[in-house]
Amino acid sequence: MKKFFFIAIAFAMLFATSISAQSSYNFWKHKSPFRLGYTFQTLEYENGLELEQKMGFNFSKNWSIYLHKEPIADRIKFAIDLGTSANYVKYETNDAWKEAFKDDYEDVIDDEDIPEFGIHQIDLGIAIGPSITVRPFGDWRLNAYFHVTPSASVFINDDEVSTSFVPFLDYGIEASWRWIGVGVEMRQGKGKYKDMTSKIVEDIIPDDVTNNIPGGILESDEKIKLKTKAVRVYLSIRF
């Protein structure tokens, strides 16, 4: 999947190069990037347990509102960005749970008794924040931004669903030539969710053991705080 993503970037840049010779181009007019990319994400519990994604994808569409008409020194413009953001990740928890339990509960749970399961996370939000665009030379563009992205965050595991409001913080940088570019973005946010793991293990762990697991990560009657940390790489096409 990652290999496919980078191949897609290469073909998109070749396509942009081929059409650019035949098309007129207004540099400052193209201020609405469409971004599609791959997500590297980690979910962190309060007790330190971390789950890493098996796969993840992101999509966003932004509109930049320039704060001044003429570029500073004919090279720089500041803006306020408005946009939408979508992020999907599937976590593989098998190895993480084995590591978490093997010290204290290896005599209760055998590795082969831990079922394979995955948790899906979907985040949908509205982004707003400042950005700066620099035209270093020719039609090359450097764009840096910081966005606050209030989001509806949903966890799904089989028939279990948990939702939370998460104010994500996104900050990144993009390098582009005319219509096409690549970028990298950091993301983090915290939210409270209903525990998604208790039902998965309650059938294979005795109740007296379940109730004593440190951190309360298997207490299904109360919500737990989870931290999302991500690096998102993307391909950008500007309109």
Side-chain angles (χ1 to χ4, degrees), residues 11-209:
F11 274 107
M13 295 187 73
L14 287 174
F15 174 75
T17 302
S18 66
I19 66 173
S20 64
Q22 306 174 14
S23 306
S24 59
Y25 181 77
N26 186 329
F27 183 90
W28 297 108
K29 179 181 178 181
H30 296 273
K31 54 184 180 179
S32 300
F34 167 88
R35 295 164 175 156
L36 180 65
Y38 194 84
T39 301
F40 301 89
Q41 188 159 299
T42 299
L43 186 67
E44 183 179 311
Y45 286 76
E46 288 185 295
N47 69 343
L49 176 64
E50 290 189 350
L51 309 181
E52 294 185 355
Q53 106 283 359
K54 178 180 180 181
M55 61 179 178
F57 305 95
N58 63 80
F59 158 83
S60 65
K61 180 70 173 73
N62 290 329
W63 295 265
S64 294
I65 303 173
Y66 289 133
L67 300 180
H68 46 98
K69 184 176 181 180
E70 298 298 328
I72 300 172
D74 201 33
R75 297 291 178 186
I76 302 172
K77 275 195 174 185
F78 293 91
I80 295 295
D81 293 346
L82 300 174
T84 58
S85 174
N87 195 75
Y88 164 78
V89 165
K90 179 181 179 181
Y91 298 101
E92 273 193 328
T93 56
N94 218 22
D95 291 341
W97 283 110
K98 289 179 183 179
E99 184 68 25
F101 293 154
K102 70 178 182 180
D103 292 333
D104 295 332
Y105 304 105
E106 60 183 356
D107 56 340
V108 179
I109 308 174
D110 294 326
D111 287 351
E112 59 269 19
D113 292 333
I114 300 179
E116 294 198 10
F117 58 95
I119 295 177
H120 306 268
Q121 180 179 354
I122 301 172
D123 303 313
L124 303 175
I126 302 296
I128 182 171
S131 69
I132 178 173
T133 299
V134 179
R135 185 178 189 177
F137 51 85
D139 290 330
W140 285 92
R141 178 194 312 262
L142 293 177
N143 177 241
Y145 55 88
F146 173 79
H147 295 160
V148 178
T149 310
S151 301
S153 184
V154 182
F155 277 79
I156 303 172
N157 184 72
D158 293 331
D159 58 347
E160 287 289 302
V161 177
S162 179
T163 60
S164 181
F165 169 78
V166 181
F168 284 106
L169 302 179
D170 305 327
Y171 47 97
I173 187 169
E174 176 189 327
S176 58
W177 184 78
R178 295 202 171 189
W179 294 275
I180 195 76
V182 292
V184 60
E185 178 180 287
M186 309 295 289
R187 155 173 279 215
Q188 60 181 1
K190 291 183 179 180
K192 286 189 175 182
Y193 304 84
K194 181 176 66 175
D195 179 25
M196 300 294 291
T197 57
S198 56
K199 279 197 171 183
I200 298 171
V201 298
E202 64 184 3
D203 293 332
I204 61 173
I205 305 178
D207 290 340
D208 58 335
V209 176

